[in-house]
Amino acid sequence: MAKVKLPQLIDPTKSAMKRSTYVGVYASDLMERLNSAVEASGEWISVDVKFEKDAQSLTYFHGNANAEVELLCQRCNKAYSDSIAVEFTFSPVQGEDEEAALPSAYEPVEVNDHGEVDLLQLVEDELILSLPIVALHAEEDCNVGPDDMTFGKIEPEQERKNPFEVLKELKRD
Ligand SMILES: [Zn+2]
């Protein structure tokens, strides 16, 4: 089946009036920040998103995205494959007043001057936030086992500060 490439900018209000569902992909090449956070990523990021209005007639959109990535194990320093799955629920807002009035079930997303949201960037942010802070193999797959006495015991670098922690903290406010 041919892959449907999703538009990057979407007007959520119009899409919600039509109760649109978008099922398709983004090329991972377009996600530079994600690519710089992982060793490698699969060619396509799959996305499934539905635009709706709730009982209060608020526009919202929710869905999920999946990415195949290669991460570098912090214990044995070898790359391994992982899939990252995220779910999200956003509601478009314009200005701080609308953002303050938004029910907490929704994550606010600021629209641009044309009333559009950058769905690609939203998905990319969610994927980056879902990456493990310390990437590690499953213990049985790791090339440095707990009984590997030849090289001594190597602890994961617990103190390693993930640059995206900062982003995560910003999002919580
Ligand atoms: Zn490992």
Side-chain angles (χ1 to χ4, degrees), residues 98-131:
E98 276 188 29
E99 183 170 341
L102 195 69
S104 61
Y106 304 129
E107 199 171 339
V109 53
E110 193 77 25
V111 296
N112 68 14
D113 293 343
H114 306 287
E116 298 160 325
V117 294
D118 188 331
L119 185 62
L120 184 144
Q121 202 183 315
L122 287 174
V123 166
E124 185 177 17
D125 284 346
E126 293 298 313
L127 290 169
I128 290 171
L129 289 172
S130 295
L131 292 173

PDB file of all heavy atoms in Angstrom, residues 98-131:
ATOM      1  N   GLU A  98      -6.751  32.208  26.157  1.00  0.00           N
ATOM      2  CA  GLU A  98      -7.320  30.935  25.706  1.00  0.00           C
ATOM      3  C   GLU A  98      -6.578  29.759  26.318  1.00  0.00           C
ATOM      4  O   GLU A  98      -7.171  28.747  26.662  1.00  0.00           O
ATOM      5  CB  GLU A  98      -7.258  30.829  24.172  1.00  0.00           C
ATOM      6  CG  GLU A  98      -8.419  31.509  23.492  1.00  0.00           C
ATOM      7  CD  GLU A  98      -8.450  31.246  21.995  1.00  0.00           C
ATOM      8  OE1 GLU A  98      -7.972  30.175  21.545  1.00  0.00           O
ATOM      9  OE2 GLU A  98      -8.949  32.114  21.282  1.00  0.00           O
ATOM     10  N   GLU A  99      -5.259  29.916  26.426  1.00  0.00           N
ATOM     11  CA  GLU A  99      -4.454  28.846  27.000  1.00  0.00           C
ATOM     12  C   GLU A  99      -4.839  28.621  28.470  1.00  0.00           C
ATOM     13  O   GLU A  99      -4.985  27.487  28.919  1.00  0.00           O
ATOM     14  CB  GLU A  99      -2.966  29.179  26.886  1.00  0.00           C
ATOM     15  CG  GLU A  99      -2.094  28.053  27.397  1.00  0.00           C
ATOM     16  CD  GLU A  99      -0.615  28.239  27.091  1.00  0.00           C
ATOM     17  OE1 GLU A  99      -0.284  29.036  26.184  1.00  0.00           O
ATOM     18  OE2 GLU A  99       0.188  27.580  27.757  1.00  0.00           O
ATOM     19  N   ALA A 100      -5.053  29.724  29.216  1.00  0.00           N
ATOM     20  CA  ALA A 100      -5.394  29.629  30.639  1.00  0.00           C
ATOM     21  C   ALA A 100      -6.772  28.993  30.836  1.00  0.00           C
ATOM     22  O   ALA A 100      -7.016  28.320  31.832  1.00  0.00           O
ATOM     23  CB  ALA A 100      -5.345  31.008  31.278  1.00  0.00           C
ATOM     24  N   ALA A 101      -7.670  29.212  29.872  1.00  0.00           N
ATOM     25  CA  ALA A 101      -9.050  28.715  30.002  1.00  0.00           C
ATOM     26  C   ALA A 101      -9.195  27.258  29.570  1.00  0.00           C
ATOM     27  O   ALA A 101     -10.249  26.662  29.739  1.00  0.00           O
ATOM     28  CB  ALA A 101      -9.985  29.594  29.167  1.00  0.00           C
ATOM     29  N   LEU A 102      -8.143  26.701  29.021  1.00  0.00           N
ATOM     30  CA  LEU A 102      -8.240  25.353  28.455  1.00  0.00           C
ATOM     31  C   LEU A 102      -8.345  24.275  29.543  1.00  0.00           C
ATOM     32  O   LEU A 102      -7.567  24.281  30.490  1.00  0.00           O
ATOM     33  CB  LEU A 102      -7.003  25.093  27.583  1.00  0.00           C
ATOM     34  CG  LEU A 102      -7.085  23.896  26.635  1.00  0.00           C
ATOM     35  CD1 LEU A 102      -8.082  24.178  25.521  1.00  0.00           C
ATOM     36  CD2 LEU A 102      -5.720  23.592  26.059  1.00  0.00           C
ATOM     37  N   PRO A 103      -9.328  23.365  29.414  1.00  0.00           N
ATOM     38  CA  PRO A 103      -9.395  22.251  30.379  1.00  0.00           C
ATOM     39  C   PRO A 103      -8.085  21.468  30.392  1.00  0.00           C
ATOM     40  O   PRO A 103      -7.429  21.339  29.355  1.00  0.00           O
ATOM     41  CB  PRO A 103     -10.534  21.383  29.846  1.00  0.00           C
ATOM     42  CG  PRO A 103     -11.317  22.253  28.916  1.00  0.00           C
ATOM     43  CD  PRO A 103     -10.362  23.263  28.380  1.00  0.00           C
ATOM     44  N   SER A 104      -7.736  20.947  31.572  1.00  0.00           N
ATOM     45  CA  SER A 104      -6.413  20.334  31.712  1.00  0.00           C
ATOM     46  C   SER A 104      -6.260  19.024  30.941  1.00  0.00           C
ATOM     47  O   SER A 104      -5.151  18.514  30.786  1.00  0.00           O
ATOM     48  CB  SER A 104      -6.108  20.103  33.188  1.00  0.00           C
ATOM     49  OG  SER A 104      -7.083  19.226  33.718  1.00  0.00           O
ATOM     50  N   ALA A 105      -7.374  18.480  30.439  1.00  0.00           N
ATOM     51  CA  ALA A 105      -7.283  17.256  29.639  1.00  0.00           C
ATOM     52  C   ALA A 105      -6.541  17.499  28.329  1.00  0.00           C
ATOM     53  O   ALA A 105      -6.052  16.564  27.704  1.00  0.00           O
ATOM     54  CB  ALA A 105      -8.680  16.721  29.346  1.00  0.00           C
ATOM     55  N   TYR A 106      -6.483  18.756  27.940  1.00  0.00           N
ATOM     56  CA  TYR A 106      -5.854  19.095  26.665  1.00  0.00           C
ATOM     57  C   TYR A 106      -4.520  19.776  26.871  1.00  0.00           C
ATOM     58  O   TYR A 106      -4.373  20.608  27.762  1.00  0.00           O
ATOM     59  CB  TYR A 106      -6.751  20.028  25.846  1.00  0.00           C
ATOM     60  CG  TYR A 106      -8.126  19.498  25.590  1.00  0.00           C
ATOM     61  CD1 TYR A 106      -9.238  20.272  25.874  1.00  0.00           C
ATOM     62  CD2 TYR A 106      -8.320  18.227  25.050  1.00  0.00           C
ATOM     63  CE1 TYR A 106     -10.522  19.798  25.636  1.00  0.00           C
ATOM     64  CE2 TYR A 106      -9.591  17.751  24.818  1.00  0.00           C
ATOM     65  CZ  TYR A 106     -10.686  18.538  25.106  1.00  0.00           C
ATOM     66  OH  TYR A 106     -11.943  18.068  24.873  1.00  0.00           O
ATOM     67  N   GLU A 107      -3.621  19.454  25.991  1.00  0.00           N
ATOM     68  CA  GLU A 107      -2.359  20.182  25.969  1.00  0.00           C
ATOM     69  C   GLU A 107      -2.522  21.322  24.959  1.00  0.00           C
ATOM     70  O   GLU A 107      -2.913  21.074  23.817  1.00  0.00           O
ATOM     71  CB  GLU A 107      -1.236  19.230  25.556  1.00  0.00           C
ATOM     72  CG  GLU A 107       0.117  19.758  25.934  1.00  0.00           C
ATOM     73  CD  GLU A 107       1.229  18.736  25.719  1.00  0.00           C
ATOM     74  OE1 GLU A 107       0.940  17.526  25.667  1.00  0.00           O
ATOM     75  OE2 GLU A 107       2.367  19.167  25.608  1.00  0.00           O
ATOM     76  N   PRO A 108      -2.271  22.563  25.391  1.00  0.00           N
ATOM     77  CA  PRO A 108      -2.467  23.675  24.461  1.00  0.00           C
ATOM     78  C   PRO A 108      -1.413  23.704  23.369  1.00  0.00           C
ATOM     79  O   PRO A 108      -0.246  23.381  23.610  1.00  0.00           O
ATOM     80  CB  PRO A 108      -2.332  24.914  25.354  1.00  0.00           C
ATOM     81  CG  PRO A 108      -1.506  24.470  26.507  1.00  0.00           C
ATOM     82  CD  PRO A 108      -1.787  23.007  26.702  1.00  0.00           C
ATOM     83  N   VAL A 109      -1.829  24.068  22.174  1.00  0.00           N
ATOM     84  CA  VAL A 109      -0.861  24.283  21.111  1.00  0.00           C
ATOM     85  C   VAL A 109      -1.230  25.580  20.403  1.00  0.00           C
ATOM     86  O   VAL A 109      -2.382  25.787  20.008  1.00  0.00           O
ATOM     87  CB  VAL A 109      -0.775  23.075  20.139  1.00  0.00           C
ATOM     88  CG1 VAL A 109      -2.129  22.685  19.603  1.00  0.00           C
ATOM     89  CG2 VAL A 109       0.173  23.374  18.994  1.00  0.00           C
ATOM     90  N   GLU A 110      -0.265  26.483  20.343  1.00  0.00           N
ATOM     91  CA  GLU A 110      -0.482  27.805  19.757  1.00  0.00           C
ATOM     92  C   GLU A 110      -0.604  27.668  18.234  1.00  0.00           C
ATOM     93  O   GLU A 110       0.199  26.989  17.597  1.00  0.00           O
ATOM     94  CB  GLU A 110       0.722  28.688  20.128  1.00  0.00           C
ATOM     95  CG  GLU A 110       0.537  30.161  19.869  1.00  0.00           C
ATOM     96  CD  GLU A 110      -0.350  30.860  20.919  1.00  0.00           C
ATOM     97  OE1 GLU A 110      -0.451  30.375  22.064  1.00  0.00           O
ATOM     98  OE2 GLU A 110      -0.931  31.903  20.567  1.00  0.00           O
ATOM     99  N   VAL A 111      -1.632  28.305  17.673  1.00  0.00           N
ATOM    100  CA  VAL A 111      -1.766  28.297  16.209  1.00  0.00           C
ATOM    101  C   VAL A 111      -0.984  29.458  15.611  1.00  0.00           C
ATOM    102  O   VAL A 111      -0.711  30.451  16.297  1.00  0.00           O
ATOM    103  CB  VAL A 111      -3.259  28.386  15.772  1.00  0.00           C
ATOM    104  CG1 VAL A 111      -4.036  27.161  16.228  1.00  0.00           C
ATOM    105  CG2 VAL A 111      -3.910  29.670  16.275  1.00  0.00           C
ATOM    106  N   ASN A 112      -0.613  29.345  14.351  1.00  0.00           N
ATOM    107  CA  ASN A 112       0.085  30.454  13.684  1.00  0.00           C
ATOM    108  C   ASN A 112      -0.951  31.481  13.201  1.00  0.00           C
ATOM    109  O   ASN A 112      -2.149  31.350  13.465  1.00  0.00           O
ATOM    110  CB  ASN A 112       0.986  29.926  12.557  1.00  0.00           C
ATOM    111  CG  ASN A 112       0.188  29.344  11.388  1.00  0.00           C
ATOM    112  OD1 ASN A 112      -1.022  29.551  11.276  1.00  0.00           O
ATOM    113  ND2 ASN A 112       0.867  28.613  10.531  1.00  0.00           N
ATOM    114  N   ASP A 113      -0.477  32.495  12.484  1.00  0.00           N
ATOM    115  CA  ASP A 113      -1.367  33.579  12.052  1.00  0.00           C
ATOM    116  C   ASP A 113      -2.473  33.104  11.112  1.00  0.00           C
ATOM    117  O   ASP A 113      -3.475  33.784  10.928  1.00  0.00           O
ATOM    118  CB  ASP A 113      -0.550  34.684  11.353  1.00  0.00           C
ATOM    119  CG  ASP A 113       0.387  35.384  12.324  1.00  0.00           C
ATOM    120  OD1 ASP A 113       0.170  35.240  13.550  1.00  0.00           O
ATOM    121  OD2 ASP A 113       1.338  36.045  11.867  1.00  0.00           O
ATOM    122  N   HIS A 114      -2.280  31.959  10.508  1.00  0.00           N
ATOM    123  CA  HIS A 114      -3.300  31.414   9.604  1.00  0.00           C
ATOM    124  C   HIS A 114      -4.187  30.380  10.302  1.00  0.00           C
ATOM    125  O   HIS A 114      -4.947  29.679   9.639  1.00  0.00           O
ATOM    126  CB  HIS A 114      -2.631  30.768   8.377  1.00  0.00           C
ATOM    127  CG  HIS A 114      -1.693  31.690   7.668  1.00  0.00           C
ATOM    128  ND1 HIS A 114      -2.129  32.749   6.898  1.00  0.00           N
ATOM    129  CD2 HIS A 114      -0.340  31.729   7.639  1.00  0.00           C
ATOM    130  CE1 HIS A 114      -1.071  33.401   6.426  1.00  0.00           C
ATOM    131  NE2 HIS A 114       0.024  32.803   6.862  1.00  0.00           N
ATOM    132  N   GLY A 115      -4.057  30.292  11.615  1.00  0.00           N
ATOM    133  CA  GLY A 115      -4.884  29.344  12.355  1.00  0.00           C
ATOM    134  C   GLY A 115      -4.436  27.901  12.204  1.00  0.00           C
ATOM    135  O   GLY A 115      -5.200  26.980  12.469  1.00  0.00           O
ATOM    136  N   GLU A 116      -3.188  27.717  11.800  1.00  0.00           N
ATOM    137  CA  GLU A 116      -2.704  26.351  11.581  1.00  0.00           C
ATOM    138  C   GLU A 116      -1.757  25.898  12.697  1.00  0.00           C
ATOM    139  O   GLU A 116      -1.116  26.714  13.354  1.00  0.00           O
ATOM    140  CB  GLU A 116      -1.928  26.269  10.250  1.00  0.00           C
ATOM    141  CG  GLU A 116      -2.744  26.602   9.038  1.00  0.00           C
ATOM    142  CD  GLU A 116      -1.860  26.984   7.859  1.00  0.00           C
ATOM    143  OE1 GLU A 116      -0.796  27.617   8.056  1.00  0.00           O
ATOM    144  OE2 GLU A 116      -2.240  26.648   6.734  1.00  0.00           O
ATOM    145  N   VAL A 117      -1.656  24.584  12.845  1.00  0.00           N
ATOM    146  CA  VAL A 117      -0.651  24.021  13.742  1.00  0.00           C
ATOM    147  C   VAL A 117       0.355  23.235  12.899  1.00  0.00           C
ATOM    148  O   VAL A 117       0.027  22.733  11.825  1.00  0.00           O
ATOM    149  CB  VAL A 117      -1.266  23.078  14.811  1.00  0.00           C
ATOM    150  CG1 VAL A 117      -2.161  23.859  15.760  1.00  0.00           C
ATOM    151  CG2 VAL A 117      -2.036  21.933  14.172  1.00  0.00           C
ATOM    152  N   ASP A 118       1.566  23.163  13.412  1.00  0.00           N
ATOM    153  CA  ASP A 118       2.623  22.415  12.739  1.00  0.00           C
ATOM    154  C   ASP A 118       2.627  20.999  13.320  1.00  0.00           C
ATOM    155  O   ASP A 118       3.265  20.729  14.333  1.00  0.00           O
ATOM    156  CB  ASP A 118       3.962  23.116  12.985  1.00  0.00           C
ATOM    157  CG  ASP A 118       5.090  22.503  12.160  1.00  0.00           C
ATOM    158  OD1 ASP A 118       5.018  21.291  11.860  1.00  0.00           O
ATOM    159  OD2 ASP A 118       6.034  23.236  11.827  1.00  0.00           O
ATOM    160  N   LEU A 119       1.864  20.123  12.678  1.00  0.00           N
ATOM    161  CA  LEU A 119       1.696  18.767  13.228  1.00  0.00           C
ATOM    162  C   LEU A 119       3.016  17.999  13.231  1.00  0.00           C
ATOM    163  O   LEU A 119       3.299  17.253  14.160  1.00  0.00           O
ATOM    164  CB  LEU A 119       0.628  17.995  12.437  1.00  0.00           C
ATOM    165  CG  LEU A 119       0.280  16.608  12.996  1.00  0.00           C
ATOM    166  CD1 LEU A 119      -0.307  16.691  14.399  1.00  0.00           C
ATOM    167  CD2 LEU A 119      -0.685  15.865  12.069  1.00  0.00           C
ATOM    168  N   LEU A 120       3.823  18.225  12.209  1.00  0.00           N
ATOM    169  CA  LEU A 120       5.108  17.525  12.162  1.00  0.00           C
ATOM    170  C   LEU A 120       5.958  17.865  13.380  1.00  0.00           C
ATOM    171  O   LEU A 120       6.515  17.002  14.034  1.00  0.00           O
ATOM    172  CB  LEU A 120       5.852  17.893  10.867  1.00  0.00           C
ATOM    173  CG  LEU A 120       7.181  17.163  10.627  1.00  0.00           C
ATOM    174  CD1 LEU A 120       7.353  16.881   9.137  1.00  0.00           C
ATOM    175  CD2 LEU A 120       8.379  17.938  11.140  1.00  0.00           C
ATOM    176  N   GLN A 121       6.008  19.158  13.690  1.00  0.00           N
ATOM    177  CA  GLN A 121       6.828  19.584  14.826  1.00  0.00           C
ATOM    178  C   GLN A 121       6.262  19.070  16.151  1.00  0.00           C
ATOM    179  O   GLN A 121       7.017  18.687  17.046  1.00  0.00           O
ATOM    180  CB  GLN A 121       6.914  21.106  14.832  1.00  0.00           C
ATOM    181  CG  GLN A 121       8.113  21.608  15.606  1.00  0.00           C
ATOM    182  CD  GLN A 121       8.144  23.106  15.650  1.00  0.00           C
ATOM    183  OE1 GLN A 121       7.930  23.772  14.646  1.00  0.00           O
ATOM    184  NE2 GLN A 121       8.404  23.652  16.831  1.00  0.00           N
ATOM    185  N   LEU A 122       4.932  19.048  16.257  1.00  0.00           N
ATOM    186  CA  LEU A 122       4.308  18.521  17.485  1.00  0.00           C
ATOM    187  C   LEU A 122       4.660  17.051  17.686  1.00  0.00           C
ATOM    188  O   LEU A 122       5.011  16.624  18.780  1.00  0.00           O
ATOM    189  CB  LEU A 122       2.784  18.662  17.399  1.00  0.00           C
ATOM    190  CG  LEU A 122       2.210  20.071  17.536  1.00  0.00           C
ATOM    191  CD1 LEU A 122       0.706  20.044  17.287  1.00  0.00           C
ATOM    192  CD2 LEU A 122       2.514  20.624  18.917  1.00  0.00           C
ATOM    193  N   VAL A 123       4.562  16.291  16.593  1.00  0.00           N
ATOM    194  CA  VAL A 123       4.874  14.863  16.665  1.00  0.00           C
ATOM    195  C   VAL A 123       6.354  14.677  17.008  1.00  0.00           C
ATOM    196  O   VAL A 123       6.718  13.860  17.849  1.00  0.00           O
ATOM    197  CB  VAL A 123       4.520  14.155  15.335  1.00  0.00           C
ATOM    198  CG1 VAL A 123       5.142  12.774  15.254  1.00  0.00           C
ATOM    199  CG2 VAL A 123       3.003  14.064  15.179  1.00  0.00           C
ATOM    200  N   GLU A 124       7.197  15.491  16.375  1.00  0.00           N
ATOM    201  CA  GLU A 124       8.632  15.394  16.648  1.00  0.00           C
ATOM    202  C   GLU A 124       8.922  15.680  18.126  1.00  0.00           C
ATOM    203  O   GLU A 124       9.678  14.946  18.772  1.00  0.00           O
ATOM    204  CB  GLU A 124       9.402  16.370  15.753  1.00  0.00           C
ATOM    205  CG  GLU A 124      10.911  16.235  15.892  1.00  0.00           C
ATOM    206  CD  GLU A 124      11.677  17.145  14.969  1.00  0.00           C
ATOM    207  OE1 GLU A 124      11.083  18.112  14.439  1.00  0.00           O
ATOM    208  OE2 GLU A 124      12.878  16.896  14.777  1.00  0.00           O
ATOM    209  N   ASP A 125       8.310  16.719  18.685  1.00  0.00           N
ATOM    210  CA  ASP A 125       8.495  17.036  20.109  1.00  0.00           C
ATOM    211  C   ASP A 125       8.090  15.859  20.987  1.00  0.00           C
ATOM    212  O   ASP A 125       8.803  15.496  21.919  1.00  0.00           O
ATOM    213  CB  ASP A 125       7.643  18.247  20.514  1.00  0.00           C
ATOM    214  CG  ASP A 125       8.234  19.563  20.038  1.00  0.00           C
ATOM    215  OD1 ASP A 125       9.413  19.576  19.635  1.00  0.00           O
ATOM    216  OD2 ASP A 125       7.509  20.565  20.074  1.00  0.00           O
ATOM    217  N   GLU A 126       6.929  15.284  20.688  1.00  0.00           N
ATOM    218  CA  GLU A 126       6.436  14.163  21.500  1.00  0.00           C
ATOM    219  C   GLU A 126       7.401  12.982  21.435  1.00  0.00           C
ATOM    220  O   GLU A 126       7.665  12.327  22.444  1.00  0.00           O
ATOM    221  CB  GLU A 126       5.043  13.727  21.024  1.00  0.00           C
ATOM    222  CG  GLU A 126       3.946  14.750  21.269  1.00  0.00           C
ATOM    223  CD  GLU A 126       3.742  15.059  22.745  1.00  0.00           C
ATOM    224  OE1 GLU A 126       3.659  14.115  23.536  1.00  0.00           O
ATOM    225  OE2 GLU A 126       3.695  16.252  23.101  1.00  0.00           O
ATOM    226  N   LEU A 127       7.904  12.697  20.250  1.00  0.00           N
ATOM    227  CA  LEU A 127       8.836  11.568  20.101  1.00  0.00           C
ATOM    228  C   LEU A 127      10.120  11.814  20.885  1.00  0.00           C
ATOM    229  O   LEU A 127      10.620  10.931  21.580  1.00  0.00           O
ATOM    230  CB  LEU A 127       9.153  11.327  18.617  1.00  0.00           C
ATOM    231  CG  LEU A 127       8.000  10.761  17.776  1.00  0.00           C
ATOM    232  CD1 LEU A 127       8.347  10.821  16.292  1.00  0.00           C
ATOM    233  CD2 LEU A 127       7.662   9.332  18.185  1.00  0.00           C
ATOM    234  N   ILE A 128      10.643  13.042  20.785  1.00  0.00           N
ATOM    235  CA  ILE A 128      11.884  13.362  21.502  1.00  0.00           C
ATOM    236  C   ILE A 128      11.685  13.216  23.007  1.00  0.00           C
ATOM    237  O   ILE A 128      12.520  12.661  23.711  1.00  0.00           O
ATOM    238  CB  ILE A 128      12.362  14.790  21.138  1.00  0.00           C
ATOM    239  CG1 ILE A 128      12.857  14.823  19.691  1.00  0.00           C
ATOM    240  CG2 ILE A 128      13.468  15.247  22.085  1.00  0.00           C
ATOM    241  CD1 ILE A 128      13.139  16.217  19.161  1.00  0.00           C
ATOM    242  N   LEU A 129      10.520  13.686  23.492  1.00  0.00           N
ATOM    243  CA  LEU A 129      10.247  13.596  24.928  1.00  0.00           C
ATOM    244  C   LEU A 129      10.094  12.154  25.396  1.00  0.00           C
ATOM    245  O   LEU A 129      10.233  11.865  26.580  1.00  0.00           O
ATOM    246  CB  LEU A 129       8.973  14.383  25.267  1.00  0.00           C
ATOM    247  CG  LEU A 129       9.102  15.904  25.181  1.00  0.00           C
ATOM    248  CD1 LEU A 129       7.740  16.559  25.336  1.00  0.00           C
ATOM    249  CD2 LEU A 129      10.058  16.428  26.238  1.00  0.00           C
ATOM    250  N   SER A 130       9.781  11.253  24.478  1.00  0.00           N
ATOM    251  CA  SER A 130       9.582   9.852  24.857  1.00  0.00           C
ATOM    252  C   SER A 130      10.847   9.015  24.762  1.00  0.00           C
ATOM    253  O   SER A 130      10.829   7.830  25.096  1.00  0.00           O
ATOM    254  CB  SER A 130       8.511   9.222  23.971  1.00  0.00           C
ATOM    255  OG  SER A 130       7.296   9.859  24.214  1.00  0.00           O
ATOM    256  N   LEU A 131      11.917   9.619  24.287  1.00  0.00           N
ATOM    257  CA  LEU A 131      13.172   8.854  24.233  1.00  0.00           C
ATOM    258  C   LEU A 131      13.638   8.573  25.655  1.00  0.00           C
ATOM    259  O   LEU A 131      13.438   9.394  26.548  1.00  0.00           O
ATOM    260  CB  LEU A 131      14.256   9.656  23.494  1.00  0.00           C
ATOM    261  CG  LEU A 131      14.027   9.872  22.007  1.00  0.00           C
ATOM    262  CD1 LEU A 131      15.079  10.831  21.455  1.00  0.00           C
ATOM    263  CD2 LEU A 131      14.067   8.551  21.245  1.00  0.00           C
TER     264      LEU A 131
END
